[in-house]
Amino acid sequence: MAMPLPSVKLTPRPRLNMRWYSWLFLVGAIFYGISWLMHWDDRGALWVLERFESPMERRESVWLPDYRAVIDAKPLPGMEKDEASDLAYDPRTKTLFAVMGRNPFLVELSLQGDVLRKIALVGWSNPEGVTVMENGVLGIVDERRHNVTLVKVDADTRQLDFSDYPSYDLGPSKNQNKAFEAITWDKRNQQLVLGIERPAQLFTWASDGSQTLAGDKQRLPSSELDIRNLSALSVDPRTGHLLVLSADSHLLLELDKKGEQVSFMTVLGGFNGLKNTIPRAEGVTMDENGTLYMVSEPNLFYRFEKQK
């Protein structure tokens, strides 16, 4: 009589017991996905191109790699729940105006980030962008209302009422929750530059700097805006180059007059003199001396200076 063969108990192979090259492929795929989302490939290409820029070309641009933080994450007192949304420099008063989005108001700041006064914004819904034009005129973009309002501010202003000032409809956006957010005054070209948050797009609107806009807004080519979102805009008054801030990409881009990328600066901790990553960079502006200023949600102030 044949003896029965001993039974063999098979141990199921764990599903995650993958070969080393499978893990390598998985890690590589994840890294590629993150790189694509953060545009590290584009940044790497621009970093390489930056190495070939001549000293003259660097002098004729803003050249963001040379900037270092001299005021790093200074809190704006009492504004922890107000959400700093943008920042603009006023060459007449040598001060800054920041707009708060959650609880609408303007705050005037010194160049060191000290609070000088608050101006209530009555009737605004979600102000996200601010710029200083001419003779005390400020442009304020309301993302929820999809419009830009041109207000007048002087030394005695303590409150602004939406119904008292001319507003211009910015029209519908592809994503109404990620619509027009950024604005800056381009003095040499006598126009406002406006930006849609996502997908990032640029527009211009002609003006003489008063409370009047001419014609309708015009779309600009945006092929160089390889960023996850567009948070804020500023024009360097010396070169006319456009600065484009992206909170999601942790990045500040410099575009020349042709709209081509010239240089960039990351706002991650450990770079450009930053101790920690800027939590959510929402506003940027530059003065006539080339000093760079930023604000971040919820209430943080930054100042960068170029190292010579």
Side-chain angles (χ1 to χ4, degrees), residues 14-245:
R15 290 185 178 182
L16 294 180
N17 188 17
M18 300 164 56
R19 294 182 181 274
W20 66 268
Y21 51 79
S22 299
W23 281 111
L24 184 63
F25 176 80
L26 179 61
V27 171
I30 293 173
F31 180 80
Y32 175 80
I34 295 174
S35 299
W36 180 79
L37 285 172
M38 298 295 292
H39 297 277
W40 287 347
D41 51 344
D42 300 305
R43 298 291 77 75
L46 181 55
W47 183 86
V48 171
L49 291 175
E50 283 181 344
R51 306 308 103 189
F52 293 95
E53 295 283 354
S54 69
M56 180 177 293
E57 289 172 323
R58 295 186 183 194
R59 286 194 299 269
E60 292 176 349
S61 68
V62 177
W63 202 252
L64 294 170
D66 287 347
Y67 278 79
R68 296 294 179 271
V70 294
I71 298 178
D72 188 355
K74 180 177 180 176
L76 301 177
M79 302 180 199
E80 297 82 0
K81 298 180 180 180
D82 298 316
E83 292 189 355
S85 295
D86 200 8
L87 190 67
Y89 172 70
D90 190 336
R92 296 195 315 157
T93 60
K94 311 297 182 188
T95 59
L96 303 163
F97 284 94
V99 67
M100 301 293 159
R102 175 172 290 182
N103 300 306
F105 65 90
L106 288 172
V107 56
E108 187 173 11
L109 305 170
S110 74
L111 301 186
Q112 301 300 320
D114 298 318
V115 177
L116 303 177
R117 62 169 164 164
K118 294 182 180 180
I119 302 172
L121 296 177
V122 179
W124 274 264
S125 180
N126 185 28
E128 288 287 338
V130 63
T131 192
V132 176
M133 299 170 70
E134 304 294 326
N135 301 316
V137 175
L138 274 64
I140 301 175
V141 166
D142 192 306
E143 187 178 30
R144 196 165 296 147
R145 284 180 172 269
H146 309 290
N147 62 21
V148 55
T149 306
L150 304 181
V151 304
K152 194 74 179 287
V153 174
D154 59 29
D156 299 320
T157 304
R158 292 295 180 270
Q159 178 174 300
L160 296 168
D161 292 284
F162 181 84
S163 59
D164 292 341
Y165 299 96
S167 291
Y168 294 83
D169 183 19
L170 293 173
S173 302
K174 185 175 181 180
N175 185 341
Q176 293 295 78
N177 293 322
K178 301 293 181 181
F180 282 94
E181 176 163 332
I183 184 172
T184 190
W185 171 238
D186 181 0
K187 182 173 183 175
R188 67 175 62 191
N189 292 309
Q190 293 289 284
Q191 62 186 11
L192 288 173
V193 184
L194 300 146
I196 289 179
E197 181 181 2
R198 188 179 292 122
Q201 296 175 49
L202 294 174
F203 293 80
T204 61
W205 205 328
S207 175
D208 61 0
S210 68
Q211 292 176 278
T212 303
L213 300 182
D216 200 357
K217 66 182 188 297
Q218 304 297 318
R219 184 169 180 173
L220 287 178
S222 303
S223 59
E224 295 290 300
L225 294 179
D226 47 355
I227 48 180
R228 295 179 64 193
N229 81 316
L230 194 161
S231 301
L233 297 168
S234 182
V235 172
D236 172 22
R238 305 160 305 158
T239 64
H241 288 189
L242 184 67
L243 300 177
V244 183
L245 183 63

Side-chain angles (χ1 to χ4, degrees), residues 272-283:
N272 296 89
L274 290 168
K275 183 177 180 180
N276 298 306
T277 298
I278 297 181
R280 186 161 187 82
E282 288 288 339

Side-chain angles (χ1 to χ4, degrees), residues 263-290:
S263 70
F264 75 96
M265 181 178 87
T266 181
V267 295
L268 295 172
F271 293 91
N272 296 89
L274 290 168
K275 183 177 180 180
N276 298 306
T277 298
I278 297 181
R280 186 161 187 82
E282 288 288 339
V284 65
T285 193
M286 180 171 277
D287 66 22
E288 65 272 6
N289 297 314

